[in-house]
Amino acid sequence: MSVNAELRAFYERRQEQLPTEVSEVMQRATRELAASGQADRALAAGARAPSFTLPSATGRSVDLAALLADGPVVLTFYRGAWCPYCNIALRSLQQHHAAIAARGARLVAVSPQIPDESLSQAEKNGLDFEVLSDLGCDTARRYGLAFDLPEDLAAVYARVGIDLDRSQAGHPRTLPIPATYVIDRAGTIRWAFVDADYTARAEPADVLAVLDGLDGPDGRG
């Protein structure tokens, strides 16, 4: 099953469980974000990938330039451990991690949650790749992905027990649009998946196809 088929099946089950008023707030926020056009303005293929140095789940600093020195990078932005759609997507990437590594690429996931939350998520989902903390979404903002939740949706999340103020160290309303980038060793974005609908994610098979299409042994093109 593709990751988006799994996500769609989960979404349909979820809609049967959520109160109507909660579902309506979530769906309206997604429509408004899509209508804003922000996803279309985010960095796309051909752009230079902004550099970053972020803490890993274990507190180690991870630098994009250092990663690129070893080969291409698959960079995925996600919302956090509290998001079931993100967990499904990350588990799917984990299932393809060996295939990504076999192509000489590094897989890195970035969210606005604190390192302790990232560590718990990595352990729970058995993730073998780096999970980094982008507090305040500063890095996501440079990729054009950061946005603020509308107040009614933030209130819904709080009502159902999602404590973003704690997990995001005082930045409770700022999230990234989920996105996945393939960056070659020269630091150029060669492929991008950005969708304002958080229930849709990049297919790992597409990521592998892009990596296979990078010219040269160092992925420079």
Side-chain angles (χ1 to χ4, degrees):
M1 180 185 293
S2 72
V3 67
N4 281 293
E6 185 177 357
L7 289 165
R8 176 51 50 179
F10 178 84
Y11 173 82
E12 292 174 353
R13 293 194 302 271
R14 187 79 157 181
Q15 293 310 298
E16 296 175 356
Q17 301 166 355
L18 289 174
T20 301
E21 64 275 15
V22 169
S23 179
E24 288 176 349
V25 170
M26 291 179 173
Q27 291 178 27
R28 182 171 62 252
T30 299
R31 289 195 302 269
E32 290 174 352
L33 182 58
S36 75
Q38 182 174 345
D40 297 327
R41 295 189 298 272
L43 292 188
R48 181 79 178 174
S51 62
F52 60 78
T53 301
L54 295 172
S56 72
T58 57
R60 186 172 68 88
S61 291
V62 176
D63 180 76
L64 177 61
L67 296 175
L68 291 173
D70 292 332
V73 168
V74 177
L75 174 64
T76 190
F77 289 87
Y78 69 103
R79 305 194 309 163
W82 54 271
C83 172
Y85 300 94
C86 295
N87 289 318
I88 290 171
L90 290 176
R91 286 196 297 268
S92 180
L93 285 171
Q94 173 61 36
Q95 291 168 5
H96 294 81
H97 181 226
I100 291 171
R103 288 159 171 81
R106 294 285 296 275
L107 173 59
V108 178
V110 176
S111 84
Q113 62 191 359
I114 58 177
D116 280 353
E117 290 290 318
S118 297
L119 180 59
S120 297
Q121 183 174 34
E123 293 173 341
K124 178 180 178 181
N125 291 299
L127 305 181
D128 295 325
F129 49 87
E130 296 282 13
V131 183
L132 310 181
S133 293
D134 178 28
L135 297 181
C137 284
D138 291 337
T139 298
R141 186 168 288 105
R142 284 189 283 150
Y143 281 76
L145 303 171
F147 72 99
D148 288 338
L149 292 170
E151 290 186 10
D152 57 351
L153 182 55
V156 162
Y157 284 161
R159 184 173 129 199
V160 299
I162 299 172
D163 187 355
L164 294 181
D165 188 64
R166 180 193 61 78
S167 67
Q168 297 187 180
H171 302 277
R173 287 184 54 194
T174 306
L175 292 177
I177 295 175
T180 298
Y181 294 96
V182 175
I183 306 169
D184 68 19
R185 284 192 67 178
T188 299
I189 296 172
R190 299 290 292 272
W191 183 82
F193 178 95
V194 183
D195 198 318
D197 181 356
Y198 61 87
T199 71
R201 303 299 170 102
E203 287 290 348
D206 292 338
V207 171
L208 295 177
V210 174
L211 292 173
D212 286 338
L214 293 182
D215 299 327
D218 61 0
R220 288 182 183 273

mmCIF file of all heavy atoms in Angstrom, residues 30-65:
data_model
loop_
_atom_site.group_PDB
_atom_site.id
_atom_site.type_symbol
_atom_site.label_atom_id
_atom_site.label_comp_id
_atom_site.label_asym_id
_atom_site.label_seq_id
_atom_site.Cartn_x
_atom_site.Cartn_y
_atom_site.Cartn_z
ATOM 1 N N THR A 30 -7.591 23.778 6.744
ATOM 2 C CA THR A 30 -6.838 23.229 5.617
ATOM 3 C C THR A 30 -7.213 23.930 4.319
ATOM 4 O O THR A 30 -6.345 24.280 3.508
ATOM 5 C CB THR A 30 -7.089 21.718 5.492
ATOM 6 O OG1 THR A 30 -6.640 21.061 6.686
ATOM 7 C CG2 THR A 30 -6.342 21.133 4.302
ATOM 8 N N ARG A 31 -8.493 24.181 4.113
ATOM 9 C CA ARG A 31 -8.932 24.877 2.899
ATOM 10 C C ARG A 31 -8.367 26.295 2.855
ATOM 11 O O ARG A 31 -7.923 26.765 1.798
ATOM 12 C CB ARG A 31 -10.470 24.926 2.840
ATOM 13 C CG ARG A 31 -11.130 23.592 2.567
ATOM 14 C CD ARG A 31 -12.585 23.781 2.174
ATOM 15 N NE ARG A 31 -13.358 24.496 3.192
ATOM 16 C CZ ARG A 31 -14.021 23.895 4.176
ATOM 17 N NH1 ARG A 31 -13.984 22.583 4.304
ATOM 18 N NH2 ARG A 31 -14.712 24.622 5.054
ATOM 19 N N GLU A 32 -8.367 26.971 3.991
ATOM 20 C CA GLU A 32 -7.872 28.345 4.029
ATOM 21 C C GLU A 32 -6.371 28.403 3.763
ATOM 22 O O GLU A 32 -5.890 29.306 3.067
ATOM 23 C CB GLU A 32 -8.210 28.982 5.381
ATOM 24 C CG GLU A 32 -9.701 29.247 5.565
ATOM 25 C CD GLU A 32 -10.050 29.747 6.958
ATOM 26 O OE1 GLU A 32 -9.140 29.730 7.831
ATOM 27 O OE2 GLU A 32 -11.200 30.152 7.174
ATOM 28 N N LEU A 33 -5.629 27.438 4.303
ATOM 29 C CA LEU A 33 -4.190 27.416 4.053
ATOM 30 C C LEU A 33 -3.915 27.144 2.577
ATOM 31 O O LEU A 33 -3.041 27.777 1.970
ATOM 32 C CB LEU A 33 -3.520 26.355 4.927
ATOM 33 C CG LEU A 33 -1.999 26.236 4.809
ATOM 34 C CD1 LEU A 33 -1.315 27.562 5.132
ATOM 35 C CD2 LEU A 33 -1.476 25.125 5.715
ATOM 36 N N ALA A 34 -4.676 26.218 1.991
ATOM 37 C CA ALA A 34 -4.508 25.935 0.560
ATOM 38 C C ALA A 34 -4.836 27.167 -0.275
ATOM 39 O O ALA A 34 -4.125 27.508 -1.231
ATOM 40 C CB ALA A 34 -5.384 24.760 0.162
ATOM 41 N N ALA A 35 -5.915 27.869 0.099
ATOM 42 C CA ALA A 35 -6.338 29.050 -0.659
ATOM 43 C C ALA A 35 -5.342 30.196 -0.533
ATOM 44 O O ALA A 35 -5.275 31.061 -1.421
ATOM 45 C CB ALA A 35 -7.717 29.505 -0.178
ATOM 46 N N SER A 36 -4.547 30.203 0.525
ATOM 47 C CA SER A 36 -3.564 31.275 0.718
ATOM 48 C C SER A 36 -2.450 31.223 -0.318
ATOM 49 O O SER A 36 -1.751 32.219 -0.541
ATOM 50 C CB SER A 36 -2.957 31.192 2.120
ATOM 51 O OG SER A 36 -2.019 30.125 2.215
ATOM 52 N N GLY A 37 -2.260 30.064 -0.924
ATOM 53 C CA GLY A 37 -1.213 29.904 -1.923
ATOM 54 C C GLY A 37 0.184 29.752 -1.358
ATOM 55 O O GLY A 37 1.168 29.737 -2.112
ATOM 56 N N GLN A 38 0.303 29.592 -0.049
ATOM 57 C CA GLN A 38 1.633 29.512 0.547
ATOM 58 C C GLN A 38 2.413 28.305 0.039
ATOM 59 O O GLN A 38 3.627 28.406 -0.203
ATOM 60 C CB GLN A 38 1.554 29.466 2.075
ATOM 61 C CG GLN A 38 2.944 29.436 2.716
ATOM 62 C CD GLN A 38 2.917 29.546 4.217
ATOM 63 O OE1 GLN A 38 1.905 29.910 4.807
ATOM 64 N NE2 GLN A 38 4.021 29.228 4.860
ATOM 65 N N ALA A 39 1.759 27.180 -0.117
ATOM 66 C CA ALA A 39 2.463 25.986 -0.594
ATOM 67 C C ALA A 39 3.077 26.231 -1.966
ATOM 68 O O ALA A 39 4.185 25.746 -2.259
ATOM 69 C CB ALA A 39 1.512 24.797 -0.636
ATOM 70 N N ASP A 40 2.397 26.994 -2.801
ATOM 71 C CA ASP A 40 2.913 27.297 -4.139
ATOM 72 C C ASP A 40 4.102 28.244 -4.084
ATOM 73 O O ASP A 40 4.914 28.283 -5.014
ATOM 74 C CB ASP A 40 1.816 27.908 -5.011
ATOM 75 C CG ASP A 40 0.657 26.947 -5.245
ATOM 76 O OD1 ASP A 40 0.913 25.730 -5.310
ATOM 77 O OD2 ASP A 40 -0.490 27.416 -5.341
ATOM 78 N N ARG A 41 4.205 29.020 -2.998
ATOM 79 C CA ARG A 41 5.305 29.977 -2.860
ATOM 80 C C ARG A 41 6.509 29.391 -2.123
ATOM 81 O O ARG A 41 7.568 30.028 -2.046
ATOM 82 C CB ARG A 41 4.825 31.228 -2.120
ATOM 83 C CG ARG A 41 3.766 32.020 -2.877
ATOM 84 C CD ARG A 41 3.495 33.363 -2.207
ATOM 85 N NE ARG A 41 2.970 33.230 -0.863
ATOM 86 C CZ ARG A 41 1.667 33.110 -0.564
ATOM 87 N NH1 ARG A 41 0.769 33.094 -1.540
ATOM 88 N NH2 ARG A 41 1.274 32.995 0.696
ATOM 89 N N ALA A 42 6.361 28.211 -1.557
ATOM 90 C CA ALA A 42 7.478 27.573 -0.853
ATOM 91 C C ALA A 42 8.583 27.240 -1.853
ATOM 92 O O ALA A 42 8.368 27.208 -3.072
ATOM 93 C CB ALA A 42 6.999 26.311 -0.146
ATOM 94 N N LEU A 43 9.782 26.993 -1.336
ATOM 95 C CA LEU A 43 10.896 26.674 -2.220
ATOM 96 C C LEU A 43 10.580 25.441 -3.054
ATOM 97 O O LEU A 43 9.976 24.479 -2.577
ATOM 98 C CB LEU A 43 12.167 26.435 -1.407
ATOM 99 C CG LEU A 43 12.754 27.654 -0.696
ATOM 100 C CD1 LEU A 43 14.113 27.307 -0.097
ATOM 101 C CD2 LEU A 43 12.881 28.839 -1.638
ATOM 102 N N ALA A 44 11.015 25.495 -4.305
ATOM 103 C CA ALA A 44 10.713 24.434 -5.261
ATOM 104 C C ALA A 44 12.005 23.963 -5.930
ATOM 105 O O ALA A 44 13.106 24.492 -5.653
ATOM 106 C CB ALA A 44 9.714 24.936 -6.304
ATOM 107 N N ALA A 45 11.888 22.985 -6.798
ATOM 108 C CA ALA A 45 13.046 22.458 -7.517
ATOM 109 C C ALA A 45 13.768 23.579 -8.251
ATOM 110 O O ALA A 45 13.142 24.443 -8.870
ATOM 111 C CB ALA A 45 12.605 21.376 -8.486
ATOM 112 N N GLY A 46 15.099 23.551 -8.165
ATOM 113 C CA GLY A 46 15.923 24.566 -8.793
ATOM 114 C C GLY A 46 16.427 25.619 -7.834
ATOM 115 O O GLY A 46 17.400 26.324 -8.131
ATOM 116 N N ALA A 47 15.773 25.742 -6.669
ATOM 117 C CA ALA A 47 16.187 26.734 -5.676
ATOM 118 C C ALA A 47 17.388 26.225 -4.883
ATOM 119 O O ALA A 47 17.650 25.023 -4.792
ATOM 120 C CB ALA A 47 15.042 27.055 -4.729
ATOM 121 N N ARG A 48 18.111 27.142 -4.314
ATOM 122 C CA ARG A 48 19.208 26.799 -3.411
ATOM 123 C C ARG A 48 18.619 26.436 -2.053
ATOM 124 O O ARG A 48 17.778 27.167 -1.513
ATOM 125 C CB ARG A 48 20.137 28.004 -3.258
ATOM 126 C CG ARG A 48 21.331 27.766 -2.358
ATOM 127 C CD ARG A 48 22.400 26.997 -3.072
ATOM 128 N NE ARG A 48 23.575 26.816 -2.221
ATOM 129 C CZ ARG A 48 24.610 26.069 -2.567
ATOM 130 N NH1 ARG A 48 24.605 25.460 -3.744
ATOM 131 N NH2 ARG A 48 25.639 25.926 -1.765
ATOM 132 N N ALA A 49 19.023 25.320 -1.487
ATOM 133 C CA ALA A 49 18.507 24.894 -0.186
ATOM 134 C C ALA A 49 19.133 25.724 0.924
ATOM 135 O O ALA A 49 20.365 25.767 1.041
ATOM 136 C CB ALA A 49 18.797 23.420 0.046
ATOM 137 N N PRO A 50 18.327 26.414 1.730
ATOM 138 C CA PRO A 50 18.888 27.187 2.845
ATOM 139 C C PRO A 50 19.646 26.284 3.818
ATOM 140 O O PRO A 50 19.202 25.176 4.130
ATOM 141 C CB PRO A 50 17.651 27.796 3.510
ATOM 142 C CG PRO A 50 16.617 27.841 2.431
ATOM 143 C CD PRO A 50 16.870 26.612 1.609
ATOM 144 N N SER A 51 20.781 26.766 4.274
ATOM 145 C CA SER A 51 21.578 25.995 5.219
ATOM 146 C C SER A 51 20.929 26.016 6.596
ATOM 147 O O SER A 51 20.113 26.887 6.906
ATOM 148 C CB SER A 51 22.998 26.555 5.305
ATOM 149 O OG SER A 51 22.961 27.889 5.774
ATOM 150 N N PHE A 52 21.304 25.066 7.438
ATOM 151 C CA PHE A 52 20.819 25.052 8.819
ATOM 152 C C PHE A 52 21.741 24.206 9.675
ATOM 153 O O PHE A 52 22.456 23.326 9.174
ATOM 154 C CB PHE A 52 19.381 24.514 8.911
ATOM 155 C CG PHE A 52 19.196 23.111 8.398
ATOM 156 C CD1 PHE A 52 19.574 21.999 9.150
ATOM 157 C CD2 PHE A 52 18.630 22.887 7.154
ATOM 158 C CE1 PHE A 52 19.401 20.705 8.680
ATOM 159 C CE2 PHE A 52 18.444 21.595 6.664
ATOM 160 C CZ PHE A 52 18.828 20.510 7.428
ATOM 161 N N THR A 53 21.728 24.498 10.959
ATOM 162 C CA THR A 53 22.351 23.665 11.976
ATOM 163 C C THR A 53 21.319 23.510 13.079
ATOM 164 O O THR A 53 20.921 24.495 13.709
ATOM 165 C CB THR A 53 23.638 24.294 12.539
ATOM 166 O OG1 THR A 53 24.568 24.502 11.476
ATOM 167 C CG2 THR A 53 24.267 23.387 13.584
ATOM 168 N N LEU A 54 20.874 22.279 13.307
ATOM 169 C CA LEU A 54 19.784 22.028 14.251
ATOM 170 C C LEU A 54 20.153 20.891 15.197
ATOM 171 O O LEU A 54 20.924 19.990 14.834
ATOM 172 C CB LEU A 54 18.502 21.646 13.489
ATOM 173 C CG LEU A 54 17.893 22.725 12.586
ATOM 174 C CD1 LEU A 54 16.754 22.135 11.754
ATOM 175 C CD2 LEU A 54 17.393 23.900 13.409
ATOM 176 N N PRO A 55 19.591 20.901 16.418
ATOM 177 C CA PRO A 55 19.873 19.821 17.362
ATOM 178 C C PRO A 55 19.106 18.550 17.005
ATOM 179 O O PRO A 55 17.938 18.598 16.608
ATOM 180 C CB PRO A 55 19.407 20.387 18.703
ATOM 181 C CG PRO A 55 18.343 21.381 18.337
ATOM 182 C CD PRO A 55 18.769 21.966 17.026
ATOM 183 N N SER A 56 19.782 17.427 17.142
ATOM 184 C CA SER A 56 19.139 16.137 16.920
ATOM 185 C C SER A 56 18.372 15.711 18.159
ATOM 186 O O SER A 56 18.414 16.385 19.197
ATOM 187 C CB SER A 56 20.182 15.074 16.583
ATOM 188 O OG SER A 56 20.934 14.746 17.745
ATOM 189 N N ALA A 57 17.699 14.588 18.080
ATOM 190 C CA ALA A 57 16.936 14.071 19.219
ATOM 191 C C ALA A 57 17.843 13.774 20.406
ATOM 192 O O ALA A 57 17.404 13.811 21.555
ATOM 193 C CB ALA A 57 16.179 12.813 18.811
ATOM 194 N N THR A 58 19.112 13.499 20.138
ATOM 195 C CA THR A 58 20.059 13.196 21.218
ATOM 196 C C THR A 58 20.903 14.399 21.598
ATOM 197 O O THR A 58 21.838 14.286 22.388
ATOM 198 C CB THR A 58 20.983 12.033 20.803
ATOM 199 O OG1 THR A 58 21.661 12.380 19.578
ATOM 200 C CG2 THR A 58 20.186 10.762 20.590
ATOM 201 N N GLY A 59 20.588 15.578 21.027
ATOM 202 C CA GLY A 59 21.287 16.799 21.389
ATOM 203 C C GLY A 59 22.503 17.121 20.550
ATOM 204 O O GLY A 59 23.170 18.135 20.777
ATOM 205 N N ARG A 60 22.808 16.293 19.553
ATOM 206 C CA ARG A 60 23.946 16.544 18.676
ATOM 207 C C ARG A 60 23.559 17.571 17.619
ATOM 208 O O ARG A 60 22.457 17.536 17.093
ATOM 209 C CB ARG A 60 24.355 15.231 18.018
ATOM 210 C CG ARG A 60 25.626 15.308 17.183
ATOM 211 C CD ARG A 60 26.035 13.915 16.753
ATOM 212 N NE ARG A 60 25.089 13.355 15.806
ATOM 213 C CZ ARG A 60 25.174 13.524 14.479
ATOM 214 N NH1 ARG A 60 26.144 14.267 13.969
ATOM 215 N NH2 ARG A 60 24.301 12.959 13.677
ATOM 216 N N SER A 61 24.459 18.490 17.285
ATOM 217 C CA SER A 61 24.191 19.471 16.235
ATOM 218 C C SER A 61 24.392 18.826 14.865
ATOM 219 O O SER A 61 25.408 18.166 14.624
ATOM 220 C CB SER A 61 25.128 20.682 16.371
ATOM 221 O OG SER A 61 24.813 21.427 17.524
ATOM 222 N N VAL A 62 23.419 19.024 13.999
ATOM 223 C CA VAL A 62 23.467 18.465 12.641
ATOM 224 C C VAL A 62 23.428 19.621 11.655
ATOM 225 O O VAL A 62 22.527 20.456 11.695
ATOM 226 C CB VAL A 62 22.293 17.499 12.393
ATOM 227 C CG1 VAL A 62 22.303 17.014 10.943
ATOM 228 C CG2 VAL A 62 22.376 16.314 13.354
ATOM 229 N N ASP A 63 24.426 19.653 10.779
ATOM 230 C CA ASP A 63 24.599 20.754 9.832
ATOM 231 C C ASP A 63 24.326 20.255 8.417
ATOM 232 O O ASP A 63 24.871 19.212 8.011
ATOM 233 C CB ASP A 63 26.016 21.295 9.944
ATOM 234 C CG ASP A 63 26.275 22.440 8.998
ATOM 235 O OD1 ASP A 63 25.811 23.558 9.269
ATOM 236 O OD2 ASP A 63 26.934 22.205 7.967
ATOM 237 N N LEU A 64 23.481 20.974 7.669
ATOM 238 C CA LEU A 64 23.145 20.540 6.309
ATOM 239 C C LEU A 64 24.387 20.464 5.433
ATOM 240 O O LEU A 64 24.552 19.508 4.662
ATOM 241 C CB LEU A 64 22.122 21.480 5.686
ATOM 242 C CG LEU A 64 21.728 21.168 4.234
ATOM 243 C CD1 LEU A 64 21.108 19.783 4.119
ATOM 244 C CD2 LEU A 64 20.770 22.228 3.688
ATOM 245 N N ALA A 65 25.274 21.440 5.529
ATOM 246 C CA ALA A 65 26.474 21.440 4.690
ATOM 247 C C ALA A 65 27.319 20.188 4.937
ATOM 248 O O ALA A 65 27.860 19.593 3.995
ATOM 249 C CB ALA A 65 27.296 22.701 4.946
#
